[in-house]
Amino acid sequence: MDWGALHTILGGVNKHSTSIGKIWLTVLFIFRIMILVVAAERVWGDEQDDFVCNTLQPGCKNVCYDHFFPISHIRLWALQLIFVSTPALLVAMHVAYRRHEKKRQFRKGDQKCEYKDIEEIRKQRFHIEGSLWWTYTSSIFFRLVFEAVFMYAFYFMYDGFRMPRLMKCNAWPCPNTVDCFVSRPTEKTVFTIFMIAVSSICILLNVAELCYLLTKFFLRRSKKAANKKQHPNHENKEETKQNEMNELISDSCQNTVIGFSS
Amino acid sequence: MNWAGLYTVLSGVNRHSTSIGRIWLSVIFIFRIMVLVVAAESVWGDEKSAFTCNTQQPGCNSVCYDHFFPISHIRLWALQLILVTTPALLVAMHVAYQQHQEKKLLVLTGHADPKHMEEVKKHKMRISGSLWWTYVCSVVFRLLFEAVFMYIFYMLYPGYQMVRLVKCEAYPCPNTVDCFISRPTEKTIFTVFMLVTSSICIVLNMAELVYLVVRACARRGQHNSNPSSGKGSFYGHKLSSEYKQNEINQLLTEQDGSLKDMLRRNPVLQEKGDRCSAC
């Protein structure tokens, strides 16, 4: 179970995302996960072995390293990426649930369902509306929250995003104050800034996607309200009812059921 | 055979689980196995090489490491995850057995065409009858294994916190020697993380158990209050061929319960409502 498996799991979600969501997923996998695996892990690979302190006191190096790096950048990024990509699974679960419901309707021979084949249900792409809209919006919101929390945790733990060359340590058992030198500080700073920048891009993409979804929601709502206003005299006529039914059927099977119940 | 192989094996079980069971499986794979593989293993990677004792006595380092870490966290977690995920295979085996029985029945009743056979393989089994008991046992075993491992962890590493310094006086170390552990804070963070996810999994398993019991009792209550299988009217045509055909059709469309039970019920219609699981 590694990043490849996560990619397989999330690839399925891609089909039901908006275009911005697909871009976000691509940025996540190529500019963050891939960079982490092929480059960043090598840079941080010798972080403890090459952390050198100016002392022969045994244990001083371990203690100083632990004091300055409570959790390594690499692990923080790995956790951040796992947490940020998992809200998409909420959407995947909701889609699976909807598919299951439609298969049940199909099997019961429900005439409201327009599908000819179970395969069609399996392959169909769902529109982001109704309860799925709420699930999708919640998943984006959680993504944003996790990104922000991890960026703050980074900033808080490492006092900014720069990796210093030298750290002065006086934790026991180090005698007095001891100079400790970090391995590859400049390269680490470069990668930290890169990951922060891509993280910010992902935050922007999420905000844009949220705005896009909200705009679409309000537009659809105002369109429905406008349609209702245009035909106030025909409210009780059969044709209007039939038109509504047809509109609902063409939108989705699910909405048809809602239309009938209202 | 590695974690990916386990994932392949268990994904098949996913189809016959409840929704809580599927959430539990996702939590196991994403928040435990994946975190173990991509993050935790590298934290513990240098646990022995960077374990330093304040002595030049040869052998003291190895002896002290062995004394304080009888089994590494990583290996304990790997064992825990394997033992916790394998009860699901009981369910997979039972489902395979039921599918085999259904195929045999189809052959006996002359419906052995490829379409029906495929349908048997693809449809989702309802968790009722003996499958319910197997499923409940697997959830109970999961809970048991999780609890046992959490207790073992607590016994081996009291407090779940990794200390920076341990004092060792095992032979051949001279007197008492200070030994320093590598990355104790990072290890504590990951230990707490794995502990929290383990607790979440325990809660999910308990919720699933409660859900299964409540569902079975509700189904039993429904069965009792809706005696469509009222003895009076059924005995009249219980042996008729139409009744038999209806039973078989119901079987094929709903796949309800064990096949032998259905056939056994045919001649002597017996209320199975006295068993909580019978649905």
Side-chain angles (χ1 to χ4, degrees):
Chain A
M1 189 70 193
D2 56 358
W3 297 113
L6 188 72
H7 183 241
T8 317
I9 294 173
L10 290 178
V13 181
N14 211 7
K15 213 170 25 137
H16 307 279
S17 304
T18 60
S19 340
I20 305 177
K22 290 175 186 168
I23 296 171
W24 171 83
L25 210 69
T26 311
V27 167
L28 186 83
F29 275 104
I30 297 180
F31 291 102
R32 293 174 80 177
I33 295 180
M34 194 168 161
I35 294 286
L36 184 81
V37 169
V38 311
E41 276 182 358
R42 301 249 170 90
V43 176
W44 269 267
D46 58 3
E47 54 177 334
Q48 217 205 175
D49 294 335
D50 280 357
F51 183 77
V52 171
C53 289
N54 186 6
T55 179
L56 287 177
Q57 169 64 45
C60 177
K61 179 182 122 161
N62 282 13
V63 164
C64 289
Y65 177 82
D66 184 63
H67 181 257
F68 289 110
F69 301 104
I71 177 167
S72 169
H73 288 60
I74 292 281
R75 257 76 66 181
L76 254 184
W77 284 326
L79 283 175
Q80 180 181 14
L81 290 167
I82 290 172
F83 274 94
V84 154
S85 37
T86 35
L89 293 178
L90 287 175
V91 177
M93 282 191 245
H94 194 137
V95 164
Y97 170 74
R98 265 206 191 172
R99 271 211 189 110
H100 173 75
E101 289 295 299
K102 287 201 182 167
K103 278 186 189 169
R104 249 191 9 173
Q105 274 179 1
F106 179 78
R107 283 212 180 97
K108 280 186 182 167
D110 203 332
Q111 272 132 15
K112 293 170 200 153
C113 219
E114 58 174 9
Y115 299 104
K116 298 186 191 75
D117 199 350
I118 279 237
E119 276 306 311
E120 215 181 301
I121 298 176
R122 212 172 273 164
K123 288 188 188 154
Q124 193 231 8
R125 187 198 158 197
F126 289 100
H127 287 293
I128 302 173
E129 52 203 4
S131 52
L132 185 59
W133 184 91
W134 286 102
T135 309
Y136 198 88
T137 314
S138 310
S139 80
I140 297 178
F141 179 73
F142 277 119
R143 275 188 225 160
L144 272 167
V145 166
F146 288 139
E147 291 270 24
V149 162
F150 273 94
M151 275 181 77
Y152 177 72
F154 242 102
Y155 186 82
F156 181 73
M157 260 191 249
Y158 296 108
D159 260 336
F161 300 121
R162 224 183 122 252
M163 184 70 80
R165 271 184 189 175
L166 161 73
M167 291 168 163
K168 290 191 183 285
C169 175
N170 56 10
W172 187 90
C174 304
N176 309 305
T177 304
V178 152
D179 288 338
C180 294
F181 301 90
V182 178
S183 117
R184 308 181 208 246
T186 312
E187 200 168 3
K188 287 178 180 173
T189 306
V190 166
F191 274 96
T192 306
I193 291 174
F194 179 88
M195 295 294 266
I196 295 291
V198 181
S199 193
S200 313
I201 291 171
C202 284
I203 288 178
L204 282 172
L205 283 170
N206 284 329
V207 169
E209 196 175 7
L210 209 54
C211 292
Y212 168 73
L213 284 169
L214 286 168
T215 313
K216 212 167 84 163
F217 174 75
F218 286 120
L219 276 176
R220 209 183 289 143
R221 218 168 145 197
S222 59
K223 209 167 78 175
K224 269 191 188 157
N227 272 344
K228 262 191 182 170
K229 268 189 189 169
Q230 270 178 26
H231 307 278
N233 298 329
H234 303 155
E235 255 181 59
N236 295 325
K237 285 198 175 169
E238 285 291 326
E239 289 108 335
T240 315
K241 278 192 183 160
Q242 188 62 46
N243 284 342
E244 264 204 35
M245 266 167 58
N246 292 343
E247 196 184 46
L248 289 168
I249 288 171
S250 65
D251 272 351
S252 78
C253 218
Q254 176 111 1
N255 284 346
T256 304
V257 177
I258 296 168
F260 266 65
S261 60
S262 63
Chain B
M1 186 71 188
N2 53 11
W3 294 114
L6 187 72
Y7 179 66
T8 318
V9 168
L10 289 176
S11 312
V13 182
N14 211 8
R15 205 147 54 101
H16 307 282
S17 305
T18 59
S19 345
I20 305 177
R22 289 180 196 164
I23 295 171
W24 170 84
L25 211 69
S26 307
V27 168
I28 283 264
F29 275 106
I30 295 175
F31 290 101
R32 292 175 78 177
I33 295 181
M34 195 167 164
V35 168
L36 185 81
V37 169
V38 310
E41 274 184 357
S42 45
V43 176
W44 269 267
D46 60 359
E47 53 178 334
K48 183 144 194 273
S49 54
F51 182 77
T52 320
C53 291
N54 186 5
T55 179
Q56 287 189 332
Q57 169 66 46
C60 178
N61 221 347
S62 301
V63 163
C64 291
Y65 176 81
D66 185 64
H67 181 257
F68 287 104
F69 300 104
I71 175 166
S72 168
H73 288 61
I74 291 283
R75 259 72 69 183
L76 260 182
W77 282 328
L79 281 175
Q80 180 181 14
L81 289 166
I82 290 172
L83 283 173
V84 153
T85 44
T86 35
L89 294 178
L90 287 175
V91 177
M93 283 191 247
H94 193 135
V95 164
Y97 170 75
Q98 273 192 344
Q99 282 175 343
H100 176 73
Q101 295 290 98
E102 280 174 19
K103 283 186 181 165
K104 259 186 17 179
L105 180 73
L106 285 177
V107 166
L108 280 172
T109 55
H111 285 92
D113 51 293
K115 190 177 160 208
H116 282 129
M117 292 295 200
E118 271 306 302
E119 179 66 30
V120 166
K121 222 188 271 181
K122 282 188 187 163
H123 84 266
K124 183 193 164 188
M125 291 274 173
R126 260 178 70 179
I127 303 174
S128 50
S130 50
L131 184 59
W132 185 91
W133 285 102
T134 310
Y135 199 92
V136 165
C137 285
S138 78
V139 174
V140 166
F141 276 120
R142 275 187 225 160
L143 268 168
L144 211 69
F145 288 138
E146 292 269 23
V148 162
F149 272 92
M150 277 179 74
Y151 178 71
I152 291 175
F153 247 105
Y154 186 75
M155 289 300 289
L156 283 175
Y157 303 109
Y160 300 116
Q161 201 207 1
M162 187 69 84
V163 292
R164 268 184 188 178
L165 161 75
V166 287
K167 290 188 184 286
C168 175
E169 30 182 60
Y171 175 82
C173 304
N175 307 304
T176 305
V177 153
D178 289 337
C179 292
F180 299 90
I181 291 169
S182 119
R183 310 179 207 252
T185 312
E186 201 165 2
K187 286 179 180 172
T188 306
I189 291 173
F190 276 96
T191 306
V192 169
F193 181 88
M194 295 296 264
L195 195 71
V196 166
T197 46
S198 193
S199 313
I200 290 171
C201 285
I202 286 177
V203 167
L204 283 170
N205 282 330
M206 283 198 212
E208 196 175 7
L209 209 55
V210 166
Y211 169 73
L212 284 167
V213 168
V214 163
R215 203 170 81 167
C217 290
R219 225 181 266 157
R220 180 190 172 191
Q222 213 180 46
H223 203 78
N224 279 340
S225 63
N226 190 12
S228 55
S229 45
K231 292 176 184 168
S233 51
F234 260 99
Y235 285 140
H237 56 83
K238 64 180 188 282
L239 291 173
S240 74
S241 58
E242 287 144 316
Y243 173 69
K244 276 189 189 159
Q245 187 60 49
N246 284 343
E247 287 263 355
I248 290 170
N249 290 343
Q250 195 186 24
L251 202 72
L252 290 173
T253 51
E254 287 180 7
Q255 312 294 346
D256 192 7
S258 138
L259 301 177
K260 282 186 181 168
D261 281 347
M262 289 291 282
L263 292 172
R264 247 184 268 129
R265 256 186 274 164
N266 207 344
V268 181
L269 197 72
Q270 207 179 347
E271 283 287 340
K272 293 282 187 178
D274 51 330
R275 280 199 309 149
C276 192
S277 62
C279 308

